Amino acid sequence: MARHLRARVLVLPPLLARAAGDHLERHGRDPGPGEVLPPVLVLLTCCLLCWAYVEAGGFGPMLSLPSRLPPGQFWPVFLPSLNANISFWATVALNIPDFTRYARSQRDQILGQLGLPVFMGLFTFVGLAVSSSTEVIFGQIISDPIRLLGRIGGGAGAPAALLAIFGVGLATVTTNLAANVVAPANALASLSPSAFGGFRRGALATALLGAALQPWRLLASSESFVYTWLLGCSALVGPAGGIVLADYYLVKGMELDVGALYSEAPRGRYYYRKGFNAAAMAALLVGVLPVVPGFLHKLGVLSDVKEVFVLLYNNAWFVSFFVAGTVYWLITTLERIVWKRESS
Protein backbone atom coordinates (compact mmCIF):
# COMPACT_ATOMS: atom_id res chain seq x y z
CA MET A 1 0.00 0.00 0.00
CA ALA A 2 2.63 2.50 1.00
CA ARG A 3 4.61 1.75 -2.15
CA HIS A 4 1.66 2.82 -4.28
CA LEU A 5 1.24 5.97 -2.23
CA ARG A 6 4.88 6.82 -2.56
CA ALA A 7 4.76 6.29 -6.32
CA ARG A 8 1.81 8.61 -6.71
CA VAL A 9 3.43 11.27 -4.57
CA LEU A 10 6.44 11.46 -6.83
CA VAL A 11 5.33 10.61 -10.36
CA LEU A 12 2.74 13.25 -11.13
CA PRO A 13 4.71 16.50 -10.64
CA PRO A 14 6.43 16.55 -14.05
CA LEU A 15 3.10 16.49 -15.86
CA LEU A 16 1.46 18.95 -13.50
CA ALA A 17 4.46 21.23 -13.73
CA ARG A 18 4.39 21.22 -17.51
CA ALA A 19 0.70 22.05 -17.68
CA ALA A 20 1.00 24.72 -15.00
CA GLY A 21 4.06 26.21 -16.66
CA ASP A 22 2.28 26.49 -20.01
CA HIS A 23 -0.69 28.16 -18.33
CA LEU A 24 1.42 30.65 -16.38
CA GLU A 25 3.62 31.49 -19.33
CA ARG A 26 0.57 32.15 -21.46
CA HIS A 27 -0.77 34.54 -18.85
CA GLY A 28 2.52 36.37 -18.47
CA ARG A 29 3.40 35.19 -14.97
CA ASP A 30 6.47 33.49 -13.60
CA PRO A 31 6.19 29.76 -12.84
CA GLY A 32 5.22 29.03 -9.25
CA PRO A 33 6.09 26.24 -6.81
CA GLY A 34 4.10 23.70 -8.82
CA GLU A 35 6.74 23.89 -11.56
CA VAL A 36 9.88 24.70 -9.61
CA LEU A 37 9.62 22.25 -6.72
CA PRO A 38 9.08 18.85 -8.45
CA PRO A 39 12.82 18.55 -9.25
CA VAL A 40 13.43 18.93 -5.52
CA LEU A 41 11.22 15.88 -4.93
CA VAL A 42 13.24 13.93 -7.48
CA LEU A 43 16.44 14.97 -5.71
CA LEU A 44 15.09 13.92 -2.29
CA THR A 45 14.04 10.55 -3.72
CA CYS A 46 17.52 10.01 -5.13
CA CYS A 47 18.94 10.86 -1.70
CA LEU A 48 16.66 8.26 -0.12
CA LEU A 49 17.80 5.61 -2.59
CA CYS A 50 21.46 6.51 -1.99
CA TRP A 51 20.93 6.29 1.77
CA ALA A 52 19.41 2.82 1.44
CA TYR A 53 22.21 1.74 -0.91
CA VAL A 54 24.94 2.80 1.52
CA GLU A 55 23.26 1.55 4.69
CA ALA A 56 22.27 -1.84 3.22
CA GLY A 57 25.63 -2.39 1.54
CA GLY A 58 24.62 -2.26 -2.12
CA PHE A 59 21.83 -3.44 -4.37
CA GLY A 60 22.54 -7.09 -3.62
CA PRO A 61 21.37 -6.95 0.01
CA MET A 62 18.69 -4.40 -0.89
CA LEU A 63 17.02 -6.73 -3.38
CA SER A 64 17.65 -10.02 -1.59
CA LEU A 65 14.29 -10.17 0.18
CA PRO A 66 12.65 -13.46 -0.88
CA SER A 67 8.99 -13.91 -1.68
CA ARG A 68 6.85 -14.63 1.37
CA LEU A 69 3.88 -15.98 -0.55
CA PRO A 70 3.27 -19.72 -0.28
CA PRO A 71 3.20 -21.72 -3.53
CA GLY A 72 0.08 -21.10 -5.58
CA GLN A 73 -0.78 -17.81 -3.88
CA PHE A 74 0.88 -15.43 -6.35
CA TRP A 75 -2.04 -14.93 -8.73
CA PRO A 76 -4.75 -14.63 -6.03
CA VAL A 77 -2.70 -11.76 -4.56
CA PHE A 78 -1.33 -10.28 -7.78
CA LEU A 79 -4.60 -9.84 -9.70
CA PRO A 80 -6.50 -7.91 -6.99
CA SER A 81 -3.39 -5.82 -6.32
CA LEU A 82 -3.03 -5.05 -10.02
CA ASN A 83 -6.67 -3.99 -10.27
CA ALA A 84 -6.34 -1.88 -7.14
CA ASN A 85 -3.26 -0.14 -8.52
CA ILE A 86 -5.01 0.53 -11.83
CA SER A 87 -7.99 1.91 -9.93
CA PHE A 88 -5.62 4.16 -8.00
CA TRP A 89 -4.40 5.73 -11.23
CA ALA A 90 -7.63 5.47 -13.24
CA THR A 91 -9.10 8.37 -11.30
CA VAL A 92 -6.29 10.65 -12.48
CA ALA A 93 -6.58 9.25 -16.01
CA LEU A 94 -10.24 10.28 -16.15
CA ASN A 95 -9.57 13.85 -15.06
CA ILE A 96 -6.22 14.40 -16.77
CA PRO A 97 -7.83 17.02 -19.08
CA ASP A 98 -8.04 19.27 -16.02
CA PHE A 99 -4.27 19.61 -16.42
CA THR A 100 -3.57 18.98 -20.09
CA ARG A 101 -6.05 21.66 -21.19
CA TYR A 102 -3.42 24.24 -20.24
CA ALA A 103 -0.95 22.84 -22.76
CA ARG A 104 -0.27 25.07 -25.76
CA SER A 105 -0.69 22.30 -28.33
CA GLN A 106 -1.54 18.63 -28.76
CA ARG A 107 2.17 17.92 -29.15
CA ASP A 108 2.97 19.58 -25.83
CA GLN A 109 0.39 17.60 -23.88
CA ILE A 110 1.60 14.35 -25.43
CA LEU A 111 5.21 15.14 -24.55
CA GLY A 112 4.10 16.09 -21.06
CA GLN A 113 2.67 12.62 -20.52
CA LEU A 114 5.51 10.60 -22.02
CA GLY A 115 7.41 10.88 -18.76
CA LEU A 116 4.68 9.15 -16.76
CA PRO A 117 5.64 5.53 -17.56
CA VAL A 118 9.32 6.32 -17.03
CA PHE A 119 8.84 8.05 -13.70
CA MET A 120 6.27 5.47 -12.62
CA GLY A 121 8.75 2.67 -13.22
CA LEU A 122 11.65 4.47 -11.57
CA PHE A 123 9.80 5.51 -8.45
CA THR A 124 8.15 2.11 -8.10
CA PHE A 125 11.64 0.62 -8.15
CA VAL A 126 12.76 3.08 -5.47
CA GLY A 127 9.77 2.16 -3.32
CA LEU A 128 10.44 -1.56 -3.66
CA ALA A 129 14.19 -1.29 -3.19
CA VAL A 130 14.03 1.01 -0.17
CA SER A 131 11.25 -1.01 1.49
CA SER A 132 13.22 -4.21 0.94
CA SER A 133 16.40 -2.63 2.31
CA THR A 134 14.73 -1.76 5.61
CA GLU A 135 14.81 -5.41 6.68
CA VAL A 136 18.58 -5.40 6.25
CA ILE A 137 19.01 -2.03 7.93
CA PHE A 138 16.44 -2.15 10.75
CA GLY A 139 15.65 -5.86 10.97
CA GLN A 140 12.04 -5.33 9.90
CA ILE A 141 10.21 -4.24 6.77
CA ILE A 142 9.03 -0.64 6.95
CA SER A 143 6.82 0.14 3.96
CA ASP A 144 5.15 3.21 5.46
CA PRO A 145 7.18 6.23 4.25
CA ILE A 146 6.25 8.28 7.32
CA ARG A 147 7.52 5.61 9.71
CA LEU A 148 10.64 5.11 7.63
CA LEU A 149 11.47 8.81 7.59
CA GLY A 150 10.92 8.87 11.34
CA ARG A 151 13.42 6.05 11.83
CA ILE A 152 15.93 7.76 9.58
CA GLY A 153 15.50 11.01 11.46
CA GLY A 154 15.81 9.25 14.79
CA GLY A 155 19.19 7.89 13.85
CA ALA A 156 20.60 10.96 12.14
CA GLY A 157 19.30 13.69 14.39
CA ALA A 158 17.19 16.77 13.89
CA PRO A 159 18.52 17.76 10.42
CA ALA A 160 17.39 14.48 8.87
CA ALA A 161 14.02 14.71 10.61
CA LEU A 162 13.49 18.25 9.33
CA LEU A 163 14.47 17.18 5.82
CA ALA A 164 12.01 14.30 5.99
CA ILE A 165 9.20 16.60 7.14
CA PHE A 166 10.08 19.03 4.36
CA GLY A 167 9.97 16.27 1.74
CA VAL A 168 6.60 14.88 2.86
CA GLY A 169 5.11 18.36 3.14
CA LEU A 170 6.46 19.31 -0.27
CA ALA A 171 4.98 16.22 -1.87
CA THR A 172 1.62 16.88 -0.25
CA VAL A 173 1.41 20.53 -1.26
CA THR A 174 2.74 20.26 -4.81
CA THR A 175 1.23 16.94 -5.85
CA ASN A 176 -1.35 15.30 -3.64
CA LEU A 177 -3.45 18.43 -3.21
CA ALA A 178 -3.43 19.11 -6.94
CA ALA A 179 -4.11 15.50 -7.93
CA ASN A 180 -6.98 15.06 -5.47
CA VAL A 181 -8.58 18.50 -5.32
CA VAL A 182 -8.57 19.87 -8.87
CA ALA A 183 -11.01 17.38 -10.43
CA PRO A 184 -13.77 17.41 -7.78
CA ALA A 185 -13.42 21.17 -7.28
CA ASN A 186 -13.91 21.77 -11.00
CA ALA A 187 -16.81 19.31 -11.07
CA LEU A 188 -18.59 20.97 -8.15
CA ALA A 189 -18.03 24.46 -9.53
CA SER A 190 -19.38 23.39 -12.93
CA LEU A 191 -22.29 21.47 -11.45
CA SER A 192 -23.57 24.44 -9.46
CA PRO A 193 -21.77 27.74 -10.08
CA SER A 194 -24.29 29.61 -7.94
CA ALA A 195 -23.72 27.36 -4.91
CA PHE A 196 -19.94 27.08 -5.09
CA GLY A 197 -19.08 30.32 -6.85
CA GLY A 198 -15.98 29.03 -8.59
CA PHE A 199 -12.98 26.82 -8.01
CA ARG A 200 -12.04 28.10 -4.55
CA ARG A 201 -15.30 27.11 -2.88
CA GLY A 202 -15.32 23.84 -4.76
CA ALA A 203 -11.83 23.08 -3.43
CA LEU A 204 -12.90 23.91 0.13
CA ALA A 205 -15.96 21.68 -0.17
CA THR A 206 -13.73 18.90 -1.51
CA ALA A 207 -11.37 19.22 1.46
CA LEU A 208 -14.24 19.07 3.94
CA LEU A 209 -15.79 16.08 2.18
CA GLY A 210 -12.43 14.33 2.11
CA ALA A 211 -12.03 14.79 5.87
CA ALA A 212 -15.59 13.56 6.45
CA LEU A 213 -14.74 10.30 4.64
CA GLN A 214 -12.11 9.60 7.33
CA PRO A 215 -9.37 8.34 4.99
CA TRP A 216 -7.18 7.34 7.94
CA ARG A 217 -9.61 4.49 8.59
CA LEU A 218 -9.25 3.28 5.01
CA LEU A 219 -5.47 3.37 5.31
CA ALA A 220 -5.51 1.45 8.58
CA SER A 221 -4.94 -1.86 6.78
CA SER A 222 -4.28 -3.20 3.31
CA GLU A 223 -7.49 -5.22 3.58
CA SER A 224 -9.68 -2.13 3.89
CA PHE A 225 -7.66 0.07 1.54
CA VAL A 226 -6.77 -2.34 -1.28
CA TYR A 227 -9.39 -5.08 -1.24
CA THR A 228 -12.40 -3.01 -0.20
CA TRP A 229 -11.88 0.63 -1.13
CA LEU A 230 -9.69 0.50 -4.24
CA LEU A 231 -11.30 -2.61 -5.74
CA GLY A 232 -14.76 -1.22 -4.98
CA CYS A 233 -13.78 2.10 -6.54
CA SER A 234 -12.45 0.33 -9.62
CA ALA A 235 -15.97 -0.98 -10.30
CA LEU A 236 -17.01 2.65 -10.92
CA VAL A 237 -13.98 4.18 -12.61
CA GLY A 238 -13.55 1.11 -14.83
CA PRO A 239 -16.88 1.41 -16.67
CA ALA A 240 -16.52 5.19 -16.85
CA GLY A 241 -13.18 4.79 -18.62
CA GLY A 242 -14.52 2.07 -20.90
CA ILE A 243 -17.49 4.19 -21.95
CA VAL A 244 -15.37 7.28 -22.59
CA LEU A 245 -12.87 5.40 -24.75
CA ALA A 246 -15.54 3.44 -26.63
CA ASP A 247 -17.44 6.65 -27.32
CA TYR A 248 -14.39 8.54 -28.56
CA TYR A 249 -12.64 5.84 -30.59
CA LEU A 250 -15.43 3.51 -31.74
CA VAL A 251 -18.55 5.66 -31.84
CA LYS A 252 -17.30 9.13 -32.76
CA GLY A 253 -14.19 8.06 -34.65
CA MET A 254 -11.95 10.49 -32.73
CA GLU A 255 -13.90 13.50 -34.02
CA LEU A 256 -15.59 15.94 -31.64
CA ASP A 257 -17.63 19.06 -32.27
CA VAL A 258 -16.08 21.34 -29.66
CA GLY A 259 -18.77 23.99 -29.96
CA ALA A 260 -21.54 21.44 -29.49
CA LEU A 261 -19.89 20.18 -26.31
CA TYR A 262 -20.78 23.48 -24.64
CA SER A 263 -24.22 23.86 -26.20
CA GLU A 264 -27.41 23.45 -24.18
CA ALA A 265 -29.63 23.43 -27.24
CA PRO A 266 -32.16 20.56 -27.02
CA ARG A 267 -31.29 19.56 -30.57
CA GLY A 268 -27.56 19.75 -29.90
CA ARG A 269 -25.33 16.93 -30.99
CA TYR A 270 -24.44 15.94 -27.43
CA TYR A 271 -27.68 16.87 -25.69
CA TYR A 272 -28.95 13.28 -26.01
CA ARG A 273 -32.22 12.75 -24.09
CA LYS A 274 -32.98 15.81 -21.98
CA GLY A 275 -29.29 16.24 -21.31
CA PHE A 276 -28.63 12.64 -20.28
CA ASN A 277 -26.84 9.97 -22.28
CA ALA A 278 -29.13 7.02 -21.57
CA ALA A 279 -26.86 4.58 -23.40
CA ALA A 280 -23.90 5.54 -21.22
CA MET A 281 -25.95 5.26 -18.03
CA ALA A 282 -27.24 1.83 -19.03
CA ALA A 283 -23.74 0.65 -19.93
CA LEU A 284 -22.42 1.94 -16.60
CA LEU A 285 -25.06 -0.04 -14.73
CA VAL A 286 -24.40 -3.23 -16.70
CA GLY A 287 -20.66 -2.83 -16.18
CA VAL A 288 -21.03 -2.54 -12.41
CA LEU A 289 -23.51 -5.39 -11.89
CA PRO A 290 -21.12 -8.36 -12.34
CA VAL A 291 -18.90 -7.26 -9.45
CA VAL A 292 -21.66 -6.34 -6.99
CA PRO A 293 -22.01 -9.82 -5.40
CA GLY A 294 -18.26 -10.01 -4.77
CA PHE A 295 -18.26 -6.50 -3.30
CA LEU A 296 -21.13 -7.31 -0.94
CA HIS A 297 -19.31 -10.49 0.06
CA LYS A 298 -16.19 -8.47 0.87
CA LEU A 299 -18.26 -6.11 3.03
CA GLY A 300 -19.78 -9.08 4.85
CA VAL A 301 -23.32 -8.40 3.61
CA LEU A 302 -23.38 -11.72 1.76
CA SER A 303 -21.91 -14.57 3.73
CA ASP A 304 -21.46 -16.94 0.83
CA VAL A 305 -21.13 -16.35 -2.92
CA LYS A 306 -19.90 -18.47 -5.79
CA GLU A 307 -16.20 -18.40 -6.53
CA VAL A 308 -16.83 -16.85 -9.94
CA PHE A 309 -18.17 -13.68 -8.29
CA VAL A 310 -15.08 -13.45 -6.09
CA LEU A 311 -12.94 -13.77 -9.21
CA LEU A 312 -14.96 -11.08 -10.99
CA TYR A 313 -14.58 -8.74 -8.03
CA ASN A 314 -10.84 -9.34 -7.79
CA ASN A 315 -10.65 -8.23 -11.44
CA ALA A 316 -13.25 -5.49 -11.04
CA TRP A 317 -11.56 -2.84 -13.16
CA PHE A 318 -10.94 -5.10 -16.16
CA VAL A 319 -14.39 -6.68 -15.99
CA SER A 320 -16.32 -3.43 -15.61
CA PHE A 321 -14.14 -1.60 -18.15
CA PHE A 322 -14.64 -4.07 -20.99
CA VAL A 323 -18.26 -4.93 -20.18
CA ALA A 324 -19.36 -1.29 -20.02
CA GLY A 325 -17.38 -0.28 -23.10
CA THR A 326 -18.73 -3.20 -25.14
CA VAL A 327 -22.32 -2.64 -24.03
CA TYR A 328 -22.11 1.07 -24.81
CA TRP A 329 -20.75 0.38 -28.28
CA LEU A 330 -23.50 -2.19 -28.95
CA ILE A 331 -26.27 0.14 -27.77
CA THR A 332 -25.05 3.09 -29.82
CA THR A 333 -24.56 0.87 -32.87
CA LEU A 334 -28.12 -0.42 -32.60
CA GLU A 335 -29.40 3.13 -32.13
CA ARG A 336 -27.67 4.24 -35.33
CA ILE A 337 -29.10 1.29 -37.25
CA VAL A 338 -32.62 2.05 -36.01
CA TRP A 339 -32.21 5.76 -36.75
CA LYS A 340 -31.05 5.06 -40.32
CA ARG A 341 -33.98 2.73 -40.95
CA GLU A 342 -36.47 5.26 -39.62
CA SER A 343 -34.87 8.06 -41.64
CA SER A 344 -35.07 6.07 -44.85
Side-chain angles (χ1 to χ4, degrees):
M1 175 185 69
R3 289 193 291 270
H4 300 319
L5 292 175
R6 186 160 47 249
R8 180 172 182 175
V9 164
L10 295 169
V11 171
L12 277 177
L15 176 58
L16 302 184
R18 184 180 183 87
D22 290 338
H23 174 66
L24 293 173
E25 181 179 341
R26 187 168 54 191
H27 287 76
R29 289 181 288 167
D30 293 331
E35 184 179 15
V36 176
L37 294 180
V40 178
L41 291 176
V42 176
L43 177 61
L44 291 176
T45 304
C46 292
C47 292
L48 182 63
L49 181 62
C50 291
W51 168 85
Y53 179 87
V54 173
E55 292 293 324
F59 285 117
M62 288 175 65
L63 304 177
S64 62
L65 186 66
S67 173
R68 299 191 175 184
L69 291 175
Q73 289 299 310
F74 174 78
W75 291 110
V77 174
F78 174 77
L79 290 176
S81 300
L82 175 63
N83 278 264
N85 197 30
I86 293 175
S87 171
F88 192 89
W89 287 95
T91 54
V92 183
L94 288 175
N95 77 277
I96 204 67
D98 285 319
F99 306 107
T100 57
R101 64 177 179 164
Y102 294 119
R104 290 169 295 185
S105 66
Q106 180 78 337
R107 177 179 177 274
D108 283 350
Q109 73 90 9
I110 292 175
L111 290 176
Q113 296 188 66
L114 288 179
L116 281 175
V118 177
F119 280 93
M120 181 66 177
L122 290 176
F123 285 111
T124 299
F125 170 75
V126 172
L128 292 170
V130 173
S131 296
S132 177
S133 69
T134 56
E135 185 173 55
V136 179
I137 300 170
F138 299 112
Q140 60 177 321
I141 298 176
I142 304 176
S143 59
D144 186 339
I146 305 300
R147 286 185 55 208
L148 175 59
L149 293 174
R151 291 292 297 270
I152 296 174
L162 291 175
L163 183 62
I165 294 173
F166 172 74
V168 173
L170 191 64
T172 300
V173 172
T174 62
T175 302
N176 283 351
L177 288 179
N180 293 292
V181 171
V182 171
N186 281 338
L188 291 174
S190 300
L191 183 65
S192 180
S194 59
F196 295 99
F199 179 84
R200 183 172 298 180
R201 289 187 183 179
L204 180 60
T206 299
L208 294 175
L209 181 61
L213 290 174
Q214 304 179 51
W216 53 89
R217 297 183 64 180
L218 296 174
L219 295 171
S221 69
S222 59
E223 181 70 23
S224 61
F225 181 62
V226 175
Y227 295 99
T228 303
W229 173 254
L230 286 180
L231 283 181
C233 181
S234 70
L236 295 176
V237 296
I243 292 169
V244 169
L245 292 180
D247 182 69
Y248 181 68
Y249 286 102
L250 302 180
V251 177
K252 295 184 171 59
M254 297 186 291
E255 293 184 1
L256 294 175
D257 184 345
V258 178
L261 287 172
Y262 297 92
S263 173
E264 295 182 358
R267 293 185 177 275
R269 185 176 181 181
Y270 306 121
Y271 195 77
Y272 299 106
R273 294 177 177 85
K274 297 182 179 181
F276 294 93
N277 188 339
M281 297 174 68
L284 177 68
L285 179 62
V286 174
V288 171
L289 284 178
V291 302
V292 170
F295 178 65
L296 295 178
H297 175 66
K298 178 59 65 174
L299 291 179
V301 177
L302 297 179
S303 58
D304 186 30
V305 296
K306 293 183 178 180
E307 188 64 26
V308 64
F309 290 115
V310 176
L311 181 62
L312 289 174
Y313 178 69
N314 287 340
N315 295 274
W317 187 88
F318 289 104
V319 172
S320 60
F321 177 90
F322 287 107
V323 169
T326 302
V327 170
Y328 179 76
W329 175 74
L330 289 174
I331 293 176
T332 52
T333 301
L334 291 174
E335 286 181 339
R336 287 202 304 269
I337 294 174
V338 172
W339 180 81
K340 288 181 179 179
R341 287 181 177 178
E342 291 178 349
S343 300
S344 60

